Amino acid sequence: MAKLISVFSRKSLALNKFSFFTLVIVALSLSASGIYNATSQPSIKSISVSLPGLPTSFDGYKISLLSDLHISQLLDSAWAEQVVSTTNQLQSDLILIAGDLSDGYLADRRVDMAPLSQLDAADGVYAVFGNHEYYFDYDNWRHFYKSLPIQFLENQHIILDKNDDKLVLLGLPDDIAATQGAAMPALETALSGTPEGATKILLVHKPVDGLNASKHGIALQLSGHTHGGMIRPLGLLAGPANNGFVRGLYDVGNMKLYVNAGTGIWTGFPFRLGVPPEITVITLRSSPAM
């Protein structure tokens, strides 16, 4: 009996060692894969979005959406140059950046940020501030961003005109602006003076307030912030903090809401599994007015 117990004990010990080392190998493999996925170049995700009442002149209009680049030591100038090159090659009508362009202080990131000045689209490049814009000396960053050929919209709108048809783009700052005494998001201010009946697109970092935007006649809201949950099951955890908007396309009342899963990754958690980084190409399509 004692010999039988001894045999089983040795087998159990061997099995436990095997299980332990198997788990270690699996964990290391997943970690390596997660970090590689997080720091790789973004893939192109193409979608078509039908907007009721979109003028025919804007049917087929193409928007490249970037978000959460988090340019840093991890995602440096070489990474940024490739993202810019890929985006420009898409030859979109408009390039939009939904916030969180960088991580760190301007003195450390200036060279890494330089490639963004090469972004180019027929109707321009527009952006809004995300929460990370306010974490590292906001005033310096704001001054630097204003020097780039990128127009940052702070409770403002611009009107795109084709053959006398109009498309309105609005932009809001992030709500964390209050911590820096900066302007808080004010949708009604951004809407002031917009042409009545024109199709309106809202660019704002966080998707959480989508329901409110839908009540103000916005046809399409474009956001980021969530990184798509980073690890597929974690989307369930990110959902409640963002009113259920984690990644992809949503119907919110009469409005469409698209959440970009992040073009880059935050250095505090540089990990992705099942949620690749993306550059979103959104093609607008006309549909009958509702």
Side-chain angles (χ1 to χ4, degrees):
M1 183 69 176
K3 287 184 178 181
L4 185 61
I5 293 174
S6 177
V7 168
F8 275 106
S9 296
R10 286 197 297 271
K11 286 185 177 179
S12 297
L13 181 61
L15 182 61
N16 287 338
K17 285 183 178 180
F18 176 78
S19 299
F20 172 76
F21 285 116
T22 299
L23 288 174
V24 168
I25 291 170
V26 170
L28 289 174
S29 297
L30 287 175
S31 296
S33 177
I35 293 170
Y36 174 80
N37 293 337
T39 57
S40 63
Q41 282 293 311
S43 58
I44 307 300
K45 183 174 181 180
S46 298
I47 63 168
S48 291
V49 178
S50 295
L51 301 179
L54 179 73
T56 55
S57 296
F58 287 95
D59 185 73
Y61 193 79
K62 194 162 71 170
I63 299 170
S64 285
L65 175 65
L66 312 177
S67 185
D68 302 277
L69 286 86
H70 291 285
I71 293 172
S72 60
Q73 279 186 312
L74 187 63
L75 303 178
D76 59 10
S77 60
W79 179 87
E81 284 174 6
Q82 186 58 54
V83 169
V84 168
S85 176
T86 300
T87 305
N88 286 344
Q89 287 172 27
L90 295 169
Q91 297 184 321
S92 296
D93 297 290
L94 190 67
I95 295 173
L96 302 179
I97 310 175
D100 281 7
L101 284 75
S102 67
D103 268 323
Y105 291 98
L106 176 59
D108 300 321
R109 297 279 76 81
R110 187 185 294 272
V111 171
D112 294 322
M113 296 293 291
L116 294 187
S117 66
Q118 301 303 312
L119 283 169
D120 183 57
D123 288 337
V125 183
Y126 294 86
V128 292
F129 296 130
N131 52 305
H132 279 249
E133 264 68 62
Y134 299 91
Y135 292 156
F136 301 95
D137 201 337
Y138 162 71
D139 289 333
N140 269 351
W141 273 116
R142 187 174 187 276
H143 180 74
F144 171 78
Y145 284 139
K146 294 294 184 180
S147 73
L148 296 176
I150 300 173
Q151 185 172 340
F152 281 76
L153 299 174
E154 299 180 87
N155 298 322
Q156 297 167 293
H157 71 266
I158 58 110
I159 300 173
L160 300 165
D161 197 308
K162 286 186 183 296
N163 302 322
D164 293 328
D165 287 332
K166 291 177 172 54
L167 180 66
V168 179
L169 173 67
L170 307 101
L172 305 179
D174 189 76
D175 59 4
I176 205 171
T179 63
Q180 300 296 322
M184 287 287 285
L187 182 54
E188 291 183 357
T189 299
L191 283 166
S192 179
T194 57
E196 188 174 351
T199 301
K200 300 175 180 66
I201 297 174
L202 173 64
L203 183 65
V204 59
H205 182 58
K206 293 172 183 168
V208 64
D209 210 20
L211 184 58
N212 179 57
S214 72
K215 294 175 180 177
H216 282 78
I218 303 299
L220 173 64
Q221 177 177 321
L222 301 175
S223 298
H225 180 63
T226 66
H227 296 205
M230 294 174 286
I231 301 172
R232 186 168 288 275
L234 291 186
L236 297 174
L237 300 178
N242 295 280
N243 277 339
F245 309 129
V246 179
R247 66 177 178 272
L249 188 64
Y250 298 87
D251 288 305
V252 186
N254 292 327
M255 184 185 81
K256 299 289 187 181
L257 166 61
Y258 187 83
V259 183
N260 177 287
T263 306
I265 198 71
W266 176 47
T267 56
F269 192 75
F271 202 83
R272 285 184 183 272
L273 282 175
V275 186
E278 71 177 65
I279 296 169
T280 318
V281 180
I282 302 165
T283 301
L284 304 184
R285 292 298 180 191
S286 299
S287 62
M290 298 180 67

